[in-house]
């Protein structure tokens, strides 16, 4: 056996196999007004109360934040009727997804997610030394039977984005419960409910009820979407007490900044701002869907604050549409990294952006200037 040493530090096996996450682009040619519709950010911005809380935090930047996030956990618990001891806060839900993976997955273990699930799942599994297992979807919906069939003795975690990004589809709560019932008790089911606040379907639930009655279910949420606090990186999860204990043992002692915590408390209390964001989405989500489909493009039915638009494989392709829209300052999200090279994801924007993107797509499909 060779005992030769490398001439420099070498990452452990698997790390360099990771394809780094690439965020949605935000730039466009100089001289055009940019409408960033690539990152599912709310066009309404944050609650004014949250912004004011953030500004006030500037007067005490010399102090460490509350390492237990007590105020935010209590605010969330009061809003949803939860046990604050079972809430863990993180720097965005991304950090919590990574912490959960590192706590429960190691070399030789497997983690399951659906075919078009959030890219962070695969990255987190590889970073932990685990093996990612992607299960094919059915018509852009997670397949419960396929996920259960993929479970092996090595499976330690199952990720389910519900609603899913980038497709915008969801599983009814009865299907989520069926998935949970079919999993071995030692497998952790992680329900990623980043877009839960936008869903207006009677058969949907974020998973809080399932967490409350189970030992192997965690629900993750974020302040980056409907609350408009993406810049601050703030998320939370609700977990069984033993899972919360594990996460608190491995997270950084001050993993969430004080300004983010204070803005989060204020955001949770501003129900009117959230209601306005929901109403805006309810108005423009169906309008954009109908207008874009009228142009001859297929749109996957979405319950989030974004749409997945499908383009032909030749001619009026997604790549050509992306370039055309960018020239007009309309920045959408290419989703080739998800295995969807013939689609673009469109965030629901403000009225001006929404009307402009429909007009531009119409010009593109007709072969107008620059198409």
């Amino acid at each position: 056996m060779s005992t030769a040493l490398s001439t420099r530090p070498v990452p452990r096996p698997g790390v360099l196999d990771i394809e780094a996450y690439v965020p949605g682009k935000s730039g466009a040619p100089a001289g055009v007004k940019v409408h960033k519709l690539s990152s599912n950010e709310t066009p309404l911005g944050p609650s004014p109360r949250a912004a004011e809380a953030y500004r006030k935090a500037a007067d005490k930047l010399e102090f460490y934040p509350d390492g237990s996030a007590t105020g935010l956990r209590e605010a969330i618990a009061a809003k949803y009727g939860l046990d604050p001891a079972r809430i863990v806060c993180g720097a965005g839900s991304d950090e919590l997804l990574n912490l959960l993976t590192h706590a429960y997955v190691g070399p030789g273990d497997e983690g399951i997610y659906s075919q078009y699930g959030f890219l962070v799942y695969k990255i987190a599994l590889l970073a932990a030394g685990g093996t990612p297992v992607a299960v094919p979807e059915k018509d852009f919906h997670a397949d419960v039977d396929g996920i259960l069939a993929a479970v092996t003795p090595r499976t330690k975690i199952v990720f389910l984005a519900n609603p899913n990004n980038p497709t915008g589809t969801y599983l009814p709560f009865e299907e989520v419960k069926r998935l949970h019932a079919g999993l071995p008790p030692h497998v952790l089911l992680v329900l990623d409910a980043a877009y839960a606040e936008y869903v207006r379907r009677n058969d949907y639930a974020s998973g809080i009820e399932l967490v409350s009655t189970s030992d192997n279910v965690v629900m993750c949420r974020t302040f980056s979407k409907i609350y408009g606090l993406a810049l601050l990186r703030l998320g939370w999860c609700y977990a069984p007490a033993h899972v919360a204990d594990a996460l608190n043992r491995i997270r950084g002692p001050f993993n969430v900044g004080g300004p983010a915590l204070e803005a989060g408390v204020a955001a949770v209390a501003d129900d009117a701002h959230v209601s306005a964001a929901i109403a805006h989405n309810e108005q423009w989500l169906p309008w954009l869907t109908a207008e874009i489909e009228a142009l001859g493009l297929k749109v996957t039915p979405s319950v989030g604050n974004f749409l997945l638009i499908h383009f032909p494989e030749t001619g009026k392709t997604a790549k050509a549409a992306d370039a055309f829209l960018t020239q007009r300052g309309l920045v959408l999200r290419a989703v080739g990294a998800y295995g969807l090279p013939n689609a673009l994801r469109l965030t629901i924007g403000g009225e001006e952006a929404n009307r402009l993107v429909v007009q531009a797509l119409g010009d593109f499909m007709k072969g107008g200037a620059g198409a």
Side-chain angles (χ1 to χ4, degrees), residues 8-340:
R8 63 181 184 183
V10 177
R12 62 172 176 71
V15 170
L16 296 183
D17 295 329
I18 296 172
E19 293 184 22
Y21 183 86
V22 179
K25 65 183 181 180
S26 56
V32 298
K33 181 178 179 180
V34 176
H35 294 277
K36 186 186 175 199
L37 305 170
S38 59
S39 298
N40 299 342
E41 297 150 342
T42 170
L44 273 61
S47 157
R49 292 160 64 175
E52 179 60 22
Y54 175 80
R55 284 190 288 268
K56 287 183 177 179
D59 294 333
K60 43 189 174 181
L61 296 182
E62 70 273 25
F63 298 112
Y64 280 101
D66 174 10
S68 298
T70 305
L72 181 57
R73 289 189 299 106
E74 290 179 347
I76 294 169
K79 182 176 182 64
Y80 293 104
L82 307 178
D83 177 0
R86 295 173 58 179
I87 296 172
V88 181
C89 296
S93 55
D94 292 355
E95 182 193 24
L96 296 167
L97 295 170
N98 276 280
L99 288 172
L100 286 162
T101 309
H102 282 275
Y104 292 94
V105 175
D109 295 333
E110 295 176 348
I112 296 174
Y113 55 94
S114 62
Q115 179 180 8
Y116 302 119
F118 189 30
L119 291 175
V120 165
Y121 308 148
K122 180 179 180 180
I123 292 172
L125 288 164
L126 289 171
T131 300
V133 178
V135 175
E137 297 187 4
K138 289 186 175 179
D139 193 25
F140 300 105
H141 288 73
D143 177 11
V144 170
D145 293 316
I147 291 172
L148 293 176
V151 174
T152 75
R154 295 182 296 277
T155 304
K156 294 297 188 295
I157 196 167
V158 172
F159 292 103
L160 179 68
N162 199 33
N164 186 55
N165 167 32
T167 60
T169 58
Y170 77 105
L171 288 186
F173 192 45
E174 288 301 314
E175 279 292 276
V176 176
K177 290 193 288 186
R178 186 168 74 85
L179 170 61
H180 174 249
L183 293 175
H186 70 276
V187 174
L188 185 66
L189 174 60
V190 178
L191 303 175
D192 184 356
Y195 299 91
E197 292 87 356
Y198 286 108
V199 185
R200 305 288 98 186
R201 299 291 189 276
N202 291 333
D203 59 353
Y204 174 81
S206 65
I208 288 176
E209 170 191 322
L210 202 56
V211 177
S212 298
T213 57
S214 308
D215 279 333
N216 65 333
V217 183
V218 175
M219 180 208 63
C220 293
R221 300 282 274 270
T222 182
F223 282 84
S224 296
K225 304 305 176 187
I226 203 165
Y227 287 108
L229 299 180
L231 185 66
L232 298 184
R233 310 308 303 125
L234 184 63
W236 62 281
C237 73
Y238 192 54
H242 65 93
V243 175
D245 177 59
L247 295 181
N248 283 323
R249 289 172 183 268
I250 64 173
R251 67 174 177 82
F254 303 104
N255 62 321
V256 180
L261 291 173
E262 297 193 27
V265 171
V268 167
D270 196 345
D271 291 333
H273 189 73
V274 171
S275 295
I278 292 170
H280 179 88
N281 206 61
E282 281 292 281
Q283 175 184 356
W284 292 103
L285 179 70
W287 185 86
L288 280 166
T289 300
E291 292 291 323
I292 293 171
E293 287 182 334
L295 300 175
L297 295 168
K298 180 181 177 182
V299 178
T300 298
S302 172
V303 295
N305 69 329
F306 57 90
L307 295 171
L308 187 67
I309 308 170
H310 302 268
F311 293 83
E313 293 186 20
T314 58
K316 301 295 183 181
T317 64
K319 184 177 180 180
D322 190 24
F324 180 80
L325 293 168
T326 300
Q327 288 296 316
R328 294 198 177 185
L330 299 161
V331 183
L332 276 63
R333 178 72 148 102
V335 285
Y338 283 92
L340 295 164

